[in-house]
């Protein structure tokens, strides 16, 4: 039997939030996501320059070290989720999100200030690793909190549509980072980029973080959280992490399984693709940056439509179509990308469009699987544990599998395996489209 108390009748539900307040809430949530993915974009698309500047060894070794450092930040994310998640359920979503966006942007800014390996030797990669760990720790609370904040403000019947703008922020931040790296590369040339040009995009993170903190500081906490807080004040204690693991293991396993598919596809497609196209397919550095930028712009166009469609047909059908489509299409589309620039553009765009039904519905799907008093913590812990194991490691695993087998399609096969795991998890996910966030969908199933 669930320990969730009935929702109070008096507080207004999220659907009563005025349009202006709702728009500010979506902007405040999306700005943090954009800042997070701006960092990933400039790191992933500038990995050749970063590796040459901060790591010793030949080009291949340095790039592999830089990709491994990218993965290290993900290993710390579960600790961030364990820290920020319960804090957000006790103190509120708004307070935690103001801190996480500042930490993220500060860590990104400082990467651009690290002296090169030729200047400080061993300390250059060491400082990079430490800053990536800070970034990972703060990100451990950012995405779960931002998605929870958005979901608890959005109307129940339009949560998919409004939630899609959080992922619009993901691609916008990533595209901005990629575009800055490409723009500076075209403007400055190869030598200047290696000397100092790669650092400039990292400095942009500071104003992005300040803007995000300002937007969040002007918002009230969510209506759903305020309603839950009034219950706690009347005598209901906020449960700890042990209660989360003991009573809410079902949604945590479902989210973890879906995130395997979600983030292997995500980080293979967005973070690793420039390196793959350049080093494995033979595109020039500029071509390898242009291909994903074109794909991401088209994905951004379709995200709101996919989010709106999920409000009508449900989240489960959207995920099923995406997972099956990628399971069938990943290998053929990777073969298409290997034919040249035109094939790479078409293949990437089709992979991206197959991924959109997942991406558009993350922030509407996952928060709704948890009851309010453990929503931030449950989402943050489940999401970040799975992401740290399968998401951030996807680029280095893809590259390592190619080196081990000599087969250029190994990233596609890894993506297909992840989608199969996602389909298994999807079987156990209840449909939450249109459902109130005051409900616990897994508790309903047990009572039935």
């Amino acid at each position: 039997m669930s320990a969730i108390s009935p929702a109070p009748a008096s507080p207004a539900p999220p659907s009563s939030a005025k349009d202006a307040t709702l728009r500010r809430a979506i902007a405040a949530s999306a700005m943090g996501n954009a800042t997070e993915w701006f960092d990933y974009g400039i790191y992933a698309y500038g990995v050749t320059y970063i590796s040459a500047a901060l790591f010793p060894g030949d080009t291949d070794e340095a790039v592999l070290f830089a990709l491994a450092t990218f993965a290290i930040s993900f290993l710390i994310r579960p600790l961030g989720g364990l820290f920020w998640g319960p804090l957000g359920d006790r103190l509120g979503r708004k307070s935690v999100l103001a801190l996480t966006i500042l930490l993220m942007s500060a860590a990104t800014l400082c990467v651009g200030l690290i002296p090169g390996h030729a200047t400080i030797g061993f300390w250059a990669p060491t400082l990079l690793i430490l800053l990536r760990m800070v970034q990972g720790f703060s990100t451990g609370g950012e995405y779960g909190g931002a998605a929870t904040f958005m979901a608890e403000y959005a109307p129940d019947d339009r949560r998919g549509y409004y939630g899609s703008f959080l992922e619009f922020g993901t691609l916008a931040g990533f595209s901005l980072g990629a575009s800055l790296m490409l723009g500076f590369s075209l403007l400055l040339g190869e030598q200047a980029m290696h000397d100092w040009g790669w650092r400039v995009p990292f400095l942009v993170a500071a104003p992005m973080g300040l803007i995000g903190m300002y937007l969040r500081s002007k918002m009230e906490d969510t209506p759903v959280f305020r309603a839950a807080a009034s219950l706690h004040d009347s005598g209901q204690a906020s449960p700890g992490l042990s209660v989360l693991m003991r009573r809410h293991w079902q949604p945590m396993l479902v989210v973890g399984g879906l995130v395997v598919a979600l983030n292997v596809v995500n980080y293979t497609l967005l973070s690793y693709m420039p390196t793959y196209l350049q080093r494995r397919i033979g595109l020039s550095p500029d071509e390898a940056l242009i291909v994903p930028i074109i794909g991401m712009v088209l994905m951004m166009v379709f995200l709101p439509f996919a989010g709106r469609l999920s409000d009508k047909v449900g989240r489960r059908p959207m995920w099923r179509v995406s997972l099956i489509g990628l399971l069938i299409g990943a290998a053929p589309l990777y073969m298409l990308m290997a034919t040249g620039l035109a094939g790479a553009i078409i293949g990437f765009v089709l992979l991206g469009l197959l991924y959109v039904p997942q991406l558009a519905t993350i922030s509407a799907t996952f928060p709704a699987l948890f009851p309010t008093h453990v929503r931030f913590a449950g989402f943050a812990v489940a999401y970040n544990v799975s992401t740290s194991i399968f998401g951030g490691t996807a680029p280095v695993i893809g590259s390592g599998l190619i080196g081990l087998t000599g087969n250029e399609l190994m990233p596609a096969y890894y993506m297909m395996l992840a989608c199969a795991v996602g389909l298994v998890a999807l079987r156990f996910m209840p449909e939450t489209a249109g459902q109130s966030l005051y409900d616990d969908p897994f508790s309903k199933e047990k009572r039935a």
Side-chain angles (χ1 to χ4, degrees), residues 35-317:
T35 303
E36 173 189 349
W37 281 89
F38 176 80
D39 172 87
Y40 293 150
I42 54 179
Y43 193 94
Y45 284 40
V47 68
T48 302
Y49 305 117
I50 296 168
S51 61
L54 303 182
F55 288 88
D58 61 29
T59 301
D60 288 338
E61 285 183 344
V63 169
L64 188 59
F65 281 137
L67 290 175
T69 302
F70 181 79
I72 284 173
S73 68
F74 287 82
L75 299 180
I76 205 74
R77 282 180 66 151
L79 297 180
L82 287 169
F83 178 80
W84 298 112
L87 200 63
D89 284 326
R90 289 198 304 272
L91 303 181
R93 291 48 166 132
K94 170 185 168 179
S95 301
V96 167
L97 289 173
L99 290 172
T100 56
I101 195 171
L102 277 181
L103 279 174
M104 280 193 314
S105 57
T108 303
L109 167 69
C110 289
V111 169
L113 302 177
I114 300 174
H117 184 269
T119 303
I120 60 172
F122 163 81
W123 287 106
T126 302
L127 287 172
L128 178 63
I129 290 170
L130 290 174
L131 288 170
R132 296 302 301 171
M133 291 175 70
V134 171
Q135 208 274 346
F137 183 77
S138 56
T139 302
E142 169 60 35
Y143 185 73
T148 297
F149 191 83
M150 181 287 308
E152 291 183 346
Y153 257 109
D156 294 333
D157 59 350
R158 303 190 71 192
R159 194 176 301 125
Y161 172 69
Y162 285 113
S164 67
F165 288 99
L166 193 64
E167 309 314 324
F168 190 93
T170 294
L171 294 183
F174 203 93
S175 299
L176 176 61
S179 298
L180 281 178
M181 275 295 177
L182 175 60
F184 278 106
S185 176
L186 294 173
L187 180 66
L188 300 176
E190 191 76 5
Q191 188 58 48
M193 283 296 289
H194 276 287
D195 290 342
W196 58 271
W198 67 269
R199 300 176 180 277
V200 179
F202 283 91
L203 308 183
V204 178
M208 289 181 68
L210 292 174
I211 292 170
M213 188 192 70
Y214 174 80
L215 289 173
R216 290 173 175 183
S217 68
K218 296 299 180 182
M219 293 296 302
E220 279 191 298
D221 232 315
T222 70
V224 174
F225 176 79
R226 295 200 304 270
S230 69
L231 269 182
H232 296 167
D233 290 342
S234 65
Q236 179 180 348
S238 180
L241 186 61
S242 62
V243 175
L244 173 68
M245 303 298 292
R246 188 171 68 252
R247 296 183 180 172
H248 305 286
W249 58 270
Q250 291 171 295
M252 294 186 73
L253 284 179
V254 168
V255 169
L258 292 174
V259 170
V260 172
L262 177 79
N263 276 338
V264 167
V265 175
N266 192 75
Y267 290 99
T268 301
L269 199 59
L270 302 185
S271 299
Y272 178 55
M273 192 56 69
T275 303
Y276 179 82
L277 292 174
Q278 182 180 346
R279 299 179 62 79
R280 304 299 179 181
I281 304 302
L283 299 186
S284 71
D286 292 339
E287 289 174 339
L289 292 178
I290 289 171
V291 170
I293 291 173
I294 293 173
M296 285 188 287
V297 170
L298 287 173
M299 290 167 69
M300 290 167 66
V301 171
F302 284 94
L303 277 171
F305 296 100
R308 189 188 296 273
L309 182 60
S310 77
D311 287 326
K312 296 180 179 180
V313 305
R315 322 294 186 215
R316 285 171 53 87

Side-chain angles (χ1 to χ4, degrees), residues 273 276-277 280-284 287 291 331-348 350 408-409:
M273 192 56 69
Y276 179 82
L277 292 174
R280 304 299 179 181
I281 304 302
L283 299 186
S284 71
E287 289 174 339
V291 170
L333 290 174
Y334 263 75
M335 292 185 209
L336 178 61
M337 285 194 293
T339 61
L341 178 60
I345 293 173
I346 295 171
F348 186 96
L350 292 176
E408 305 289 349
L409 291 178

